[in-house]
Amino acid sequence: MPDAAVEQVTLYLIRHGETEVNRRNCVQGKRIDPPLNERGQQQAECVGRHFQDIKVDWIVTSAAQRAIETGTAVSTHHPGVPLASFPALNELEFGDLEGRHVTTGYNDLVVKWDTDHCADLAAPGAGSESPTACAQRAMPCIQDIAEAAAAKGWQHVCIVAHSRLIQIVLAAMLDGSLRTMGKYKQKKAAINTIKVSAVGGAAGQWGVSAVALKVNSVGHMPNDVLSRVSSAGAMANRKDELVCFEVDSSGVLVLRYLSAPPH
């Protein structure tokens, strides 16, 4: 692929809108698949309106409902643009922490990843992933998307994915190292504008290098639509620890109360 063609590609990395799992400050990874809640739908609509007058050639999402719904909001304003989903863009698998409140182990894990730089450390439990493992499946997909877009002459690609995965992808593309992923934290429905500079061997270890034009931007949303919850804020308000989310035997996501539900 000629460098000149790839260098024309701009990637808009977009975090999905809010879900009830987000609102409850519970961990939402690869296996937890809720739809957007009402605020999340409003956030997705704001994302869609933001791109209304921006050229979009391709809309790509993970295979999760929340990402597909957010991508569909963009597609509403670009009805003739191809829309595709890729499981390789699903969120990191958080293992035993999935569905649990962030204060029950997640926040400690984030410190090990972002402060202690333990990118090879997997989340606890069977089937979990480390940031390195997540990058190893996500970055080849990002490279394929950039190369496919360049081959078709598509210069503007929206990619709707997830908070930790976007942090990993940005660190890999912009810095060539996962040590910096902690500085790329993502608000709900945030937009990152990235200009691809190289792919393949010329791009280093992760197959894609890029420069950032905008990171974690939420200027497209009014204040009353922004999410009001965060894992950091949860440390001061632990009441949501009384709930968790689980996938039942039929594959349905359910809310479980760990004590009597509030009246």
Side-chain angles (χ1 to χ4, degrees), residues 49-72:
R49 286 195 295 271
H50 173 77
F51 284 100
Q52 182 174 0
D53 297 319
I54 295 175
K55 174 70 171 174
V56 174
D57 298 303
W58 193 14
I59 303 167
V60 171
T61 75
S62 79
Q65 290 184 76
R66 55 197 186 272
I68 293 172
E69 289 178 15
T70 305
T72 299

Side-chain angles (χ1 to χ4, degrees), residues 111-159:
V111 169
K112 292 177 182 176
W113 285 345
D114 294 348
T115 303
D116 300 337
H117 306 301
C118 300
D120 292 335
L121 177 67
S128 65
E129 289 182 301
S130 67
T132 298
C134 184
Q136 287 169 342
R137 65 168 164 86
M139 288 307 299
C141 184
I142 296 291
Q143 179 178 344
D144 287 347
I145 289 167
E147 290 180 329
K152 293 178 180 291
W154 294 344
Q155 298 181 1
H156 304 276
V157 182
C158 289
I159 301 177

Side-chain angles (χ1 to χ4, degrees), residues 12 45-54 191 214 220:
Y12 300 100
E45 290 169 2
C46 288
V47 171
R49 286 195 295 271
H50 173 77
F51 284 100
Q52 182 174 0
D53 297 319
I54 295 175
I191 299 172
K214 192 177 293 185
H220 52 287

Side-chain angles (χ1 to χ4, degrees), residues 16 21-22 26-34 64 66 90-95 97-99 106 129 137 162 164:
H16 61 79
V21 180
N22 289 141
C26 293
V27 179
Q28 182 175 253
K30 185 178 179 182
R31 74 176 71 167
I32 296 289
D33 190 20
R66 55 197 186 272
N90 286 357
E91 179 61 297
L92 184 144
E93 167 64 78
F94 286 101
L97 298 179
E98 298 248 351
Y106 171 83
E129 289 182 301
R137 65 168 164 86
H162 307 269
R164 178 54 60 170

Side-chain angles (χ1 to χ4, degrees), residues 39 42-43 46 221-228:
R39 184 182 294 272
Q42 293 173 341
Q43 292 169 345
C46 288
M221 292 183 287
N223 286 337
D224 61 345
V225 173
L226 293 172
S227 292
R228 302 301 179 190

Side-chain angles (χ1 to χ4, degrees), residues 20-22 24-27 32 34 98-101 243-247 253-256:
E20 279 302 293
V21 180
N22 289 141
R24 295 277 192 165
N25 253 319
C26 293
V27 179
I32 296 289
E98 298 248 351
R100 305 315 223 190
H101 195 263
V243 302
C244 70
F245 290 85
E246 296 176 352
V247 179
L253 184 66
V254 294
L255 172 65
R256 305 285 191 198

Side-chain angles (χ1 to χ4, degrees), residues 1-9 146-147 150 196-203 209:
M1 176 63 56
D3 289 345
V6 170
E7 289 171 3
Q8 298 302 311
V9 176
E147 290 180 329
V196 175
S197 55
V199 296
S209 61

